[in-house]
Structure formats: C-alpha cells, structure tokens
Amino acid sequence: FGAMLGKLIELSGAAHTITYRLIDLMGLKNVQFAILITGFLVGLPMMYNASFLVLIPLIYTFSTTAKMPLLYLGIPLSASLSVAHAYLPPHPAPTYVSLIYEANINQVLLLGLIPVIPACLLAGIFLSKFFKKVDVSPPEDLHEEIEFKKEELPGFGRSILAVVTPVVLMLLGAASDLVLGPSPAKAELVASGYSNLTEYYHLMFLEGGKSENIAGILAGIVSVFKFFSDANIALMIAVFVGILTLGLRRGRKMDDVMKQLGKAVGAIAMIILIIAAGGAFSQVLKDSQVNEYITGIAEGIHFNPLILAFSVAAVLRLAVGSATVATMTAAPIMLPIAVQSGISPELMVLATGSGSLMFSHFNDIGFWMFKEYYNVSIKQTFLIWTVMESIVAVVGLATVLLLNVLGV
C-alpha cells in the first residue's frame, strides 16, 4: 500500500506541490527545513527507497535552479526519510517488531514522534553544514526530471490529504488509548471475567443510571478507532483517498491508475523478499536456539535491555546490511529479556529500530543509493551517509533511555 501511495504521489505531482508550498511559506533561506518536513511527510507512508526515488528529482531541481549545493539539500532529505523508516509504523520493521514485543502500535507511533525533531536537526541540518562546500552535481544518467506545468499540479490540500491520512488514522487509535486506556483484546477480556468490551467499560469507568448505554457508546467508538488505526487499514484507506483525489478527480482513467499501481507493487518485489528473508532468518535463529544462547550471554553481562536491544540490532545491521532485516531479527532474540525485565515494549521497539541504523556500509542498499544519486565517492559516503545514519540511531537510543527514566 505504501508503494501504491508513493506512485500516486509521484505521478500526480503532489510531492512537488507540497515542497513548493512549504518553500513559499518558509522562504528559500529555510529550504532545508521545508525539505525535512516534506521528506518526513512523504516518508511516513512509504518505504525509504520508494520515497527517496520520489523526492530526489525535487532535490536535483532546487539544486540546479536555486544554485544551491546538492548535499546541502540532499542530506536533510535522507535524514528525514531514515528517521521515518526506523522509528515509526506503518513501516514494515517497526510494525513487525511491535507485534513481536506485543507493543501497542499506536503508542509506538506516538512515542516515535518524540525523537524526530532532534534527529532531523542533528543528522540533517547540522551535519549538512560540514559538506556544504563539497562540489557535486546530479549524475547525468540518473537525472530524469519529470516536468509539471503549474496548472497541472494538484492543490496543496488535495496533495497532503493522502499523505497524512494513514498517520491521522493511526493517531486516533493512540488518542483513544491515552484517554480511555488500552482496551484489552477479546482473550484478555474473557480471562479477566468480562463478556464484552461494553461490560469492561461499564465496570471499569461507569456506574449507576444509564451508564451502561454510555459504556456501549464508548465501546463502539473505541472499536471503530481500533479498526481504522490498524496500519494495514490506514494505508489501504490512504490508497483509496489517493486514487480518488490524485487520480480520478484529476481526469485520469481507472485503467491507467490501476496499471501504475500494479507497477508500484512489482517495483517493491525485492523489498518484500528481503522482509520475508528477514522473517525466515529470525525463525532459523529461534529454532536453532541462537536467541537463547545470546540471551544467556546478555543476562551475564547485565546490560540495560534497551541498550542491549540497540546493540544486538546494530551488530546485525553491520553483518547483514538491511535495517529491516536487522530489526526483525533482533526482536525475537530480545523478546525473552524484554518480557523478563518488564521494560515498556513500545520503548523496546524504538530501541531495536534505532540500533538497526548503525554501521551502514557496503552491504546496505541505501549506502549505494546515496553514493550514486549524490555522485559522491565511497569515502565521502562513509563520512556522510554512515555518520548520518549513526546520528539518527544514537538520538533514538538517547530518547528511549530518557523516556524510560521518566517512567514512560
């Protein structure tokens, strides 16, 4: 669904509209902040590779037309996309790990928004200042700009609607949890002696008079919020919204829209294989009891579980390259320790995701994408990309440790 939504955003010119409007609002002097915001908004519902490919033409365009250094614009974009990819659902790794740790996925999204600002500022704005004078230009064979006439671009409201739809829906679930407390699953209700969610709210929060009717209304509202805040449902609805607002309402035929969405799904086939391979590798580690062996070693070291989850994910990232695989492999290994320690599962998700960004090098697809699209040397890629990813990772860990001290 993220790939489909990305294709709609790309072909409709919605990403161009969002960026141009933000620059109009913030001014050319603040173009880095406009790119940070755009990258974050577009990167929320999309995989890193897909969102990078959607937005990189804009970076090329601004660099050439505004006579601004390519890396000065490109580093903030890559930083914001990495932040969304590692920290936040509905990206595959945070979503999958939330299920492993039995964390509340909506609370993961809410807590994951906390380290976003410091991570973007340090890894995007601050780091780019050291490479502002590096003279690089877009590679000729990769720079194929899609030109849109002003009248062809969709409006700002229409452009941003499809982008933020999944985030808004998921935050509704988090809001209901904050107001009413996390509602138990059906099995938990039965185990606790409640016959249904209405009875749960009636006995937990209300008493006397017509309170049972109010409890029924609350149960209904929460059920609706839970349904629409599910990551799969939220993204599916966003795709429907995008098809309508960025496709059909702008004169495109359904057949043409469907063909493009089909191409988008085909384009992420390798990513799906990576995710599947990561899950299979995780199962191999579990069946061979590698996770129990590492757990035994970790218990002997007496590490903070959050730091240990970060470290295991970082080592796996160094070994396998893919942040998604590193996150999905580290979670089953850390699950016994997480359960035993009583640490917040939402914080464990963020700690594991943060560790998966450390030590990016030759075996990471993102490493080579950065090198090729920004036309830099391997040494420069290490100095920029690897350092940028590590900054995002460390900021995530520091935030998680702070939240744990505060009792979140």
Side-chain angles (χ1 to χ4, degrees):
F1 287 137
M4 290 180 179
L5 185 58
K7 181 60 68 174
L8 290 168
I9 293 171
E10 175 187 7
L11 295 180
S12 66
H16 290 69
T17 297
I18 294 171
T19 305
Y20 293 148
R21 177 59 64 88
L22 287 173
I23 289 177
D24 288 341
L25 293 174
M26 303 180 71
L28 195 59
K29 292 183 178 180
N30 297 315
V31 64
Q32 284 188 307
F33 295 98
I35 290 174
L36 274 178
I37 296 172
T38 302
F40 182 71
L41 291 177
V42 175
L44 274 174
M46 297 168 57
M47 295 290 289
Y48 176 89
N49 295 350
S51 49
F52 179 87
L53 293 174
V54 168
L55 294 176
I56 191 65
L58 297 182
I59 301 301
Y60 288 161
T61 300
F62 285 119
S63 176
T64 54
T65 58
K67 308 299 181 183
M68 303 184 77
L70 181 60
L71 292 176
Y72 182 73
L73 304 176
I75 293 175
L77 173 66
S78 295
S80 62
L81 294 179
S82 292
V83 165
H85 179 76
Y87 293 164
L88 305 173
H91 281 274
T95 302
Y96 173 84
V97 173
S98 296
L99 297 176
I100 293 294
Y101 288 130
E102 297 184 357
N104 185 310
I105 193 170
N106 297 311
Q107 290 186 16
V108 172
L109 173 60
L110 196 61
L111 292 175
L113 293 173
I114 297 175
V116 164
I117 294 178
C120 286
L121 291 178
L122 289 174
I125 305 299
F126 180 73
L127 182 64
S128 67
K129 297 184 182 298
F130 293 93
F131 302 97
K132 186 176 181 179
K133 296 183 179 180
V134 176
D135 186 18
V136 293
S137 57
E140 295 181 3
D141 56 337
L142 293 179
H143 185 16
E144 297 181 4
E145 182 181 353
I146 301 176
E147 296 184 0
F148 290 98
K149 296 180 180 179
K150 189 174 182 179
E151 58 271 16
E152 294 176 341
L153 293 174
F156 179 72
R158 179 177 296 182
S159 299
I160 204 166
L161 178 61
V163 173
V164 301
T165 292
V167 182
V168 172
L169 290 175
M170 292 181 70
L171 288 177
L172 284 177
S176 68
D177 288 342
L178 288 176
V179 175
L180 300 174
S183 56
K186 186 175 181 179
E188 295 176 287
L189 284 171
V190 174
S192 301
Y194 302 110
S195 59
N196 53 51
L197 195 59
T198 300
E199 183 180 347
Y200 170 78
Y201 283 120
H202 177 57
L203 296 177
M204 291 295 293
F205 300 110
L206 307 165
E207 57 183 19
K210 298 181 180 179
S211 58
E212 188 170 352
N213 294 331
I214 299 175
I217 294 173
L218 285 176
I221 293 174
V222 170
S223 297
V224 171
F225 279 8
K226 289 297 181 183
F227 175 78
F228 286 109
S229 66
D230 179 84
N232 299 308
I233 300 299
L235 271 174
M236 180 180 69
I237 292 174
V239 171
F240 290 155
V241 171
I243 291 174
L244 180 63
T245 61
L246 300 178
L248 302 182
R249 287 285 182 88
R250 303 194 70 242
R252 298 182 61 191
K253 295 181 179 180
M254 179 62 82
D255 288 344
D256 294 335
V257 174
M258 290 298 104
K259 288 179 182 179
Q260 294 301 326
L261 296 186
K263 291 180 180 179
V265 174
I268 63 164
M270 184 57 64
I271 295 174
I272 294 175
L273 287 176
I274 290 174
I275 295 172
F281 186 36
S282 297
Q283 191 63 43
V284 169
L285 292 175
K286 290 177 66 177
D287 292 344
S288 60
Q289 298 182 337
V290 171
N291 58 334
E292 295 181 9
Y293 177 74
I294 295 179
T295 298
I297 296 176
E299 289 176 346
I301 300 175
H302 300 296
F303 265 15
N304 182 310
L306 295 171
I307 298 177
L308 187 59
F310 177 91
S311 302
V312 171
V315 171
L316 289 169
R317 161 76 157 188
L318 179 66
V320 301
S322 169
T324 300
V325 174
T327 306
M328 295 170 65
T329 305
I333 295 174
M334 290 302 305
L335 181 58
I337 297 178
V339 173
Q340 184 179 5
S341 66
I343 292 287
S344 164
E346 289 78 24
L347 295 184
M348 288 295 294
V349 173
L350 294 176
T352 307
S354 297
S356 71
L357 292 184
M358 289 292 291
F359 309 132
S360 173
H361 60 98
F362 297 116
N363 56 5
D364 178 20
I365 295 175
F367 181 93
W368 294 106
M369 288 184 67
F370 188 94
K371 178 190 179 303
E372 295 300 324
Y373 276 88
Y374 291 121
N375 206 15
V376 293
S377 67
I378 289 179
K379 179 181 178 181
Q380 289 171 326
T381 307
F382 272 110
L383 292 175
I384 304 171
W385 168 261
T386 304
V387 171
M388 180 200 76
E389 291 280 88
S390 298
I391 290 175
V392 174
V394 172
V395 170
L397 175 62
T399 303
V400 164
L401 293 175
L402 178 61
L403 291 174
N404 185 54
V405 171
L406 295 175
V408 174

